[in-house]
Amino acid sequence: MTTLSPDIQPTRAARGPSRWQTLVTQLVGLLVILGAWWLVTDVLKLYPPYVFPGPKAVWTEISYGLWGTGPQDGKLLSAIGGSLRRVLTGYVIAVLLGVVVGLLMGAWRPLRTTLGAYLTGIQSVPSIAFVPFAILFLGLNERAVLFVVILEGFIPVALAVSGALLNVPPALRVAGRTLGAGSLGLTLRVLLPASVPSILTGLRTAWSFSWRALVGGELLIAGAASLGEQLEIGRNTANVALVLATIIIIGVIGGLFDSLLRAAEGRVRRDYGLEVPQ
């Protein structure tokens, strides 16, 4: 086993904080936020509870909504299941479609210069702007939500795959052709594996876009168990605690999935020698 010389071996400061240090810092930050929230609402009482409820009231909504046993309890749990089913279905379709289109754009310049420019422009449009079109085109149903989720997830993946293929070092292209790889073989066996770290970054971006698009679309669909429906119920009943509880759950779920994708991206980057293990 070869080791780096002392002159080039990375120091702890260069590698950054360890995972445990990062976790402790995040927990301390969370405690500070909760403490400030409790101070403003329950101690100083700067706002009435029906305008800005405290942590206890929000936690009550979360606990009743997740594992309550009453006739109106457990709604948040079923809402989480419905939303996850929709977003995962749309995300998988978006990734598969984005990879195919990205490969075609990376291999064919005319498609890259035309479709790539259009996709970049569409990506700048907020996802909520596509919801009215989806409803008019597909109806006020789950298909409209899936359309928006797929659209918002597909574009980052397609652009990431296309851009990653173009950023592969020319030496790898030359080596692949020297070894007899044709156009398809060069793409699938050389360019695509070399692009995996950049593609994973696009997958993280696609998840973020898809998750936000899902909640925006669900706000307009009545009768389906979803987190968007819970936000709408909280608004209609002036239940700010339910609104805040739902927002917190949306943030936690989005953050957990992003952490999983980030961990996979970090593992791949370390395997590719692009990152120093901590």
Side-chain angles (χ1 to χ4, degrees), residues 24-269:
V24 170
T25 302
Q26 292 174 342
L27 289 176
V28 171
L30 177 60
L31 292 176
V32 170
I33 293 173
L34 290 176
W37 183 7
W38 172 77
L39 180 65
V40 168
T41 56
D42 294 340
V43 178
L44 299 178
K45 298 183 178 179
L46 299 180
Y47 301 93
Y50 59 85
V51 173
F52 188 23
K56 183 179 179 180
V58 175
W59 173 250
T60 299
E61 289 290 343
I62 293 175
S63 60
Y64 285 169
L66 292 181
W67 50 77
T69 56
Q72 299 300 320
D73 297 338
K75 295 296 182 66
L76 280 175
L77 189 60
S78 60
I80 291 172
S83 292
L84 285 179
R85 175 178 57 81
R86 295 183 192 93
V87 74
L88 291 177
T89 301
Y91 181 71
V92 170
I93 295 174
V95 169
L96 294 176
L97 186 61
V99 169
V100 173
V101 174
L103 288 173
L104 293 175
M105 289 197 302
W108 193 28
R109 183 186 296 272
L111 185 63
R112 184 168 63 249
T113 56
T114 54
L115 182 59
Y118 301 148
L119 293 180
T120 302
I122 294 174
Q123 191 177 34
S124 65
V125 179
S127 59
I128 196 67
F130 293 105
V131 174
F133 168 77
I135 291 175
L136 293 173
F137 186 67
L138 298 170
L140 192 60
N141 50 45
E142 290 196 13
R143 290 183 299 170
V145 178
L146 283 177
F147 172 82
V148 179
V149 172
I150 293 171
L151 178 65
E152 288 296 308
F154 150 73
I155 296 176
V157 175
L159 295 178
V161 172
S162 175
L165 293 177
L166 295 178
N167 290 328
V168 173
L172 292 179
R173 298 175 181 269
V174 173
R177 294 194 180 280
T178 301
L179 294 174
S183 298
L184 182 60
L186 182 68
T187 300
L188 297 180
R189 301 178 64 181
V190 179
L191 302 183
L192 190 58
S195 305
V196 169
S198 298
I199 293 175
L200 285 177
T201 302
L203 294 183
R204 281 182 52 214
T205 304
W207 162 257
S208 177
F209 281 27
S210 295
W211 185 238
R212 288 183 293 180
L214 170 82
V215 177
E218 287 179 340
L219 282 170
L220 302 178
I221 293 184
S226 67
L227 291 170
E229 182 195 38
Q230 292 299 304
L231 290 174
E232 189 67 9
I233 291 174
R235 184 186 71 86
N236 292 333
T237 59
N239 188 347
V240 185
L242 176 59
V243 172
L244 290 176
T246 307
I247 290 174
I248 290 172
I249 290 174
I250 291 171
V252 169
I253 294 175
L256 287 175
F257 274 87
D258 183 78
S259 298
L260 292 175
L261 293 173
R262 186 188 297 271
E265 180 187 5
R267 176 62 182 271
V268 170
R269 289 180 61 85

